[in-house]
Amino acid sequence: GSVNAEASVDLGKLLGTDWTFGLDVADKYSIGDKTNLFLASVYGGIDVFNLSLEYGLKTPEVGDMVNMLYVGADINVLEGLLLNAYFGAADLVKFVDNWYVGANVGYEVYDGITLALNVQYATEGGADLIGGDISEGSVGAAGFSITPKMSIAF
């Protein structure tokens, strides 16, 4: 099991502006492996450009602390077109062997149906956190990869 706490503030909505600016904070403690994960993210942007920065600190009861980082940018120039790029590090202290970089290009071909292509490069340690979700840590493959994707939403 786990114990989780989260808080979010969207200052753009609170102030009634056309731009987005917010802060998310989360703390997750895994009872089974006695590991705490603290996450903080800042995001902001306007209609055509959004930027996010996420920091994570993983503190296991046994072993070393791990500092993680993710930076992502979304470009919204055409309706239905998906363009984003991301960069991250699975461990800032051991950065040279623990980073990844990638981009997604896609298009919504029909309402709810999106075709996309992901291109990325990851070092061996960086492959542990591919995709920019520090909190979930989906495992990818080290090296260069191209992955086609299709999503259908109802």
Side-chain angles (χ1 to χ4, degrees):
S2 65
V3 178
N4 303 326
E6 298 182 28
S8 296
V9 176
D10 187 338
L11 293 174
K13 277 188 179 176
L14 287 174
L15 298 174
T17 65
D18 290 339
W19 48 271
T20 306
F21 179 72
L23 172 68
D24 296 328
V25 178
D27 194 58
K28 302 175 180 187
Y29 180 77
S30 175
I31 297 169
D33 61 2
K34 298 181 181 176
T35 299
N36 193 68
L37 180 62
F38 171 78
L39 302 166
S41 62
V42 176
Y43 59 90
I46 55 176
D47 287 339
V48 295
F49 183 77
N50 295 299
L51 185 67
S52 63
L53 171 69
E54 185 173 353
Y55 170 78
L57 176 63
K58 188 175 187 179
T59 53
E61 187 173 292
V62 177
D64 296 331
M65 286 191 317
V66 178
N67 295 280
M68 300 167 280
L69 178 71
Y70 169 80
V71 178
D74 295 318
I75 301 167
N76 309 306
V77 290
L78 294 173
E79 187 175 339
L81 182 66
L82 163 73
L83 292 171
N84 70 22
Y86 56 87
F87 170 80
D91 188 346
L92 289 173
V93 174
K94 301 172 187 170
F95 179 78
V96 172
D97 298 321
N98 292 280
W99 60 272
Y100 58 91
V101 63
N104 291 295
V105 176
Y107 188 72
E108 186 175 20
V109 293
Y110 189 72
D111 191 27
I113 300 175
T114 303
L115 301 175
L117 187 66
N118 172 264
V119 178
Q120 64 191 16
Y121 178 81
T123 60
E124 191 68 38
D128 292 339
L129 287 171
I130 290 296
D133 195 346
I134 290 175
S135 59
E136 297 299 323
S138 57
V139 177
F144 180 76
S145 64
I146 298 175
T147 309
K149 297 180 182 182
M150 179 179 176
S151 64
I152 301 173
F154 298 81

